[in-house]
């Protein structure tokens, strides 16, 4: 799991970020540490309009790479 999105309005999107990005992003409006998993550097983005489409693609890709890199070698997707 590398990205979680709710269907209800205002539920937001949670995803994993790097250590340095975590502090920077949590200091911006509409982004906060994700409930329960914030200590693992997951953020909750309350406003989906916060990022442009290309920014969303990049932040989701980064989250995927961070999670995939922690998998055992035999379970990692190729290229990770």
């Amino acid at each position: 799991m590398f990205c979680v999105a709710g269907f209800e309005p205002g539920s937001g999107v949670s995803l994993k970020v790097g250590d340095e990005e975590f502090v920077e992003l949590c200091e911006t409006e509409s982004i906060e540490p994700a409930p329960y998993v914030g200590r693992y550097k997951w953020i909750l983005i309350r406003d989906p309009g916060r990022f442009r489409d290309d920014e969303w693609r990049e932040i989701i890709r980064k989250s995927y790479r961070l999670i995939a890199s922690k998998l055992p070698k035999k379970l990692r997707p190729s290229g990770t």
Side-chain angles (χ1 to χ4, degrees):
M1 180 169 65
F2 60 93
C3 182
V4 179
F7 291 109
E8 298 296 319
S11 60
V13 176
S14 294
L15 37 73
K16 174 102 168 117
V17 294
D19 295 344
E20 61 285 338
E21 290 175 300
F22 180 78
V23 174
E24 182 182 326
L25 288 169
C26 286
E27 291 175 349
T28 62
E29 189 176 330
S30 76
I31 299 177
E32 60 192 61
Y36 309 108
V37 290
R39 66 178 173 254
Y40 303 112
K41 307 300 188 256
W42 277 70
I43 59 171
L44 172 61
I45 303 165
R46 293 254 181 221
D47 177 14
R50 172 73 175 79
F51 296 109
R52 295 184 319 264
D53 288 349
D54 60 326
E55 292 174 315
W56 272 112
R57 281 189 286 278
E58 185 58 29
I59 199 167
I60 292 170
R61 278 187 193 113
K62 283 181 183 179
S63 180
Y64 175 80
R65 282 188 231 119
L66 284 167
I67 297 299
S69 72
K70 302 291 182 188
L71 291 171
K73 275 198 172 208
K74 64 181 181 179
L75 296 177
R76 285 185 204 162
S78 61
T80 307

